[in-house]
Amino acid sequence: MQNRVYNFSAGPAILPEDVLKEAQENLFALPGVGMSILEISHRSKTFDNIINEAKADLISLLNLNNDYDVLFLQGGASLQFSMVPLNIMPPKNKADYILTGSWSKKAQKEAKRVGTVNVAASTESENFNRIPKQEELKLDPDASYVHFTSNNTIFGTEWQKEPEVGKVPLVCDASSNILSKKINVNKYGLIYAGAQKNMGPAGVTLVIIRKDLLERSSDSLHTMLNYKTHSDGNSLYNTPSVFGIYIIGLVAKWLIKNGGLDAMHRINKEKADLLYKCIDESNGFFKGHAQKDSRSIMNITFRLSSEELEKKLVAEATAAGFDGVKGHRSVGGLRASIYNAFPKKGVEALVQFMKEFQKKNG
Ligand SMILES: *Cc1c(COP(=O)(O)O)cnc(C)c1O
């Protein structure tokens, strides 16, 4: 246990230590059940309680009203790139996509297989270093939905508030900032998120869908690709990610115990501010990738003056116990992913390390 390093990986990513310990303690046999979570039937009363409690806790954390359903699916956020257009692009078969990074582009690619995609805005020519402004959006008031990516994991940019899209349903890939702050879910038609960034292990994907949108899913869709199947079956049409849902449930309880999403947001901002302050006060030694008004509080991306120096920093950081700080190849440099579970003292330690590195190499 004392050998854990600081894990800055973008995903799968760090989980709360309390959650890992509880899961470890109960892995051999769930209390009162005598079987591991890895062995129980998804049709058992025990699992019924686990999935329903996870759902209820997420509903309470996100303050969801009865207009929304919560689904636990498989196939990652990447399958949602297909399920979203397959289910809710009809009957008009046209949708708006706002391109702010590699993941939104991948989402758009699948949507194009279903119907017509209008690129409402893109910041690709600036290597996705910012979020487009409201007045840049060229929205089609008759679109089936508007798709955006709330936090761009690779580029380190984040929407500070949702785009205004009028009456058109807003669809959001929130994989890397779900549960990092309170959001007004009533602004959304559908939110999806792979669990493995900020919520749980890989293998389960959260989908929050406004129930009226379920009416758009055609009966001719493949059963497993139809949101209605999973909504009707309480995500138990087939065997779900039993373990993944269990861990999401523990994470939700950990969030509630620690003050909920407002408390989480406050801490997340404090952590991100420490790193951005270090970057901003480095006299250009560290250069942030994201423009200031588009900065993510989950993924902090920055570069140094040469690739050689970046390599040196990554190597020395890794040796010092800061794991996973190498940036994605499309940005280069470094990326520190500091999701909910990442401890503030780990951020403080990295800042200290960066300052010393600058002193020696600046
Ligand atoms: C990681 C990530 C994805 C891909 O998730 P998978 O679950 O691996 O399919 C999609 N969107 C965003 C924003 C991500 O960070």
Side-chain angles (χ1 to χ4, degrees):
M1 205 74 81
Q2 53 270 54
N3 291 333
R4 284 173 61 80
V5 296
Y6 287 126
N7 179 4
F8 289 91
S9 165
I14 190 165
L15 285 165
E17 290 196 350
D18 292 349
V19 167
L20 294 177
K21 283 181 190 157
E22 183 172 348
Q24 183 193 37
E25 237 166 67
N26 295 340
L27 190 69
F28 192 69
L30 283 166
V33 180
M35 278 183 276
S36 170
I37 183 69
L38 300 176
E39 304 167 304
I40 61 169
S41 164
H42 61 297
R43 306 278 174 216
S44 62
K45 186 85 200 109
T46 304
F47 188 66
D48 243 2
N49 289 337
I50 288 172
I51 192 170
N52 287 335
E53 247 181 76
K55 203 167 152 175
D57 286 340
L58 289 172
I59 286 170
S60 133
L61 277 166
L62 288 161
N63 203 13
L64 298 182
N65 64 30
N66 202 32
D67 293 342
Y68 292 85
D69 200 2
V70 174
L71 312 176
F72 300 102
L73 307 185
Q74 296 184 66
S78 299
L79 184 60
Q80 296 311 306
F81 298 165
S82 300
M83 280 181 75
V84 164
L86 284 169
N87 282 269
I88 68 168
M89 210 196 265
K92 292 182 201 159
N93 288 324
K94 55 176 188 168
D96 287 352
Y97 275 70
I98 305 175
L99 305 187
T100 52
S102 320
W103 296 116
S104 12
K105 277 179 73 180
K106 285 185 173 165
Q108 173 217 27
K109 181 178 167 203
E110 302 308 319
K112 279 182 176 167
R113 300 179 198 275
V114 181
T116 308
V117 169
N118 166 48
V119 174
S122 170
T123 51
E124 185 164 22
S125 63
E126 293 146 89
N127 200 21
F128 296 123
N129 69 353
R130 66 178 184 94
I131 299 296
K133 300 201 166 26
Q134 180 68 33
E135 56 274 19
E136 291 174 71
L137 305 182
K138 296 192 172 58
L139 299 168
D140 172 3
D142 193 42
S144 297
Y145 59 86
V146 180
H147 180 282
F148 81 112
T149 312
S150 52
N151 182 74
N152 299 283
T153 326
I154 292 173
F155 295 91
T157 62
E158 183 171 11
W159 290 78
Q160 312 298 313
K161 64 180 183 35
E162 298 85 358
E164 295 297 333
V165 296
K167 287 197 168 15
V168 178
L170 188 59
V171 172
C172 177
D173 175 358
S175 293
S176 52
N177 71 347
I178 184 102
L179 301 177
S180 68
K181 59 184 173 188
K182 198 166 268 176
I183 54 168
N184 182 1
V185 178
N186 293 321
K187 290 192 165 176
Y188 296 79
L190 191 152
I191 300 170
Y192 63 92
Q196 71 274 17
K197 308 288 172 35
N198 206 20
M199 206 165 32
V204 55
T205 307
L206 183 72
V207 174
I208 298 162
I209 183 167
R210 211 175 65 207
K211 289 174 185 165
D212 64 287
L213 293 175
L214 291 168
E215 298 314 314
R216 294 191 189 178
S217 302
S218 154
D219 289 339
S220 67
L221 278 172
H222 286 240
T223 312
M224 275 295 286
L225 298 179
N226 190 323
Y227 287 133
K228 245 190 294 190
T229 305
H230 302 292
S231 176
D232 291 346
N234 195 28
S235 303
L236 291 166
Y237 170 75
N238 72 327
T239 319
S241 171
V242 170
F243 183 70
I245 294 165
Y246 165 74
I247 297 289
I248 289 182
L250 296 186
V251 169
K253 290 217 184 301
W254 177 81
L255 287 168
I256 291 168
K257 198 179 89 190
N258 285 282
L261 301 191
D262 278 337
M264 205 39 64
H265 188 209
R266 188 173 43 73
I267 299 165
N268 285 333
K269 268 200 305 208
E270 282 171 16
K271 290 188 296 186
D273 283 348
L274 287 173
L275 272 164
Y276 285 124
K277 187 162 177 279
C278 173
I279 290 168
D280 291 342
E281 292 179 352
S282 72
N283 287 318
F285 184 77
F286 301 113
K287 300 183 236 318
H289 177 71
Q291 290 194 7
K292 283 189 182 172
D293 61 2
S294 302
R295 283 174 163 176
S296 165
I297 60 170
M298 298 274 95
N299 312 97
I300 285 80
T301 49
F302 59 96
R303 303 212 57 169
L304 281 77
S305 59
S306 74
E307 278 185 32
E308 221 178 302
L309 209 51
E310 288 169 347
K311 270 198 191 124
K312 188 169 183 226
L313 178 53
V314 171
E316 287 183 19
T318 309
F322 304 103
D323 199 76
V325 291
K326 188 174 185 300
H328 188 276
R329 62 190 176 281
S330 46
V331 180
L334 285 89
R335 169 175 56 177
S337 298
I338 48 171
Y339 299 114
N340 284 347
F342 197 94
K344 190 173 173 188
K345 67 176 193 308
V347 177
E348 289 164 347
L350 180 66
V351 165
Q352 190 57 35
F353 176 84
M354 284 165 65
K355 284 185 175 160
E356 273 160 29
F357 186 87
Q358 181 178 0
K359 228 180 271 168
K360 277 185 258 160
N361 299 277

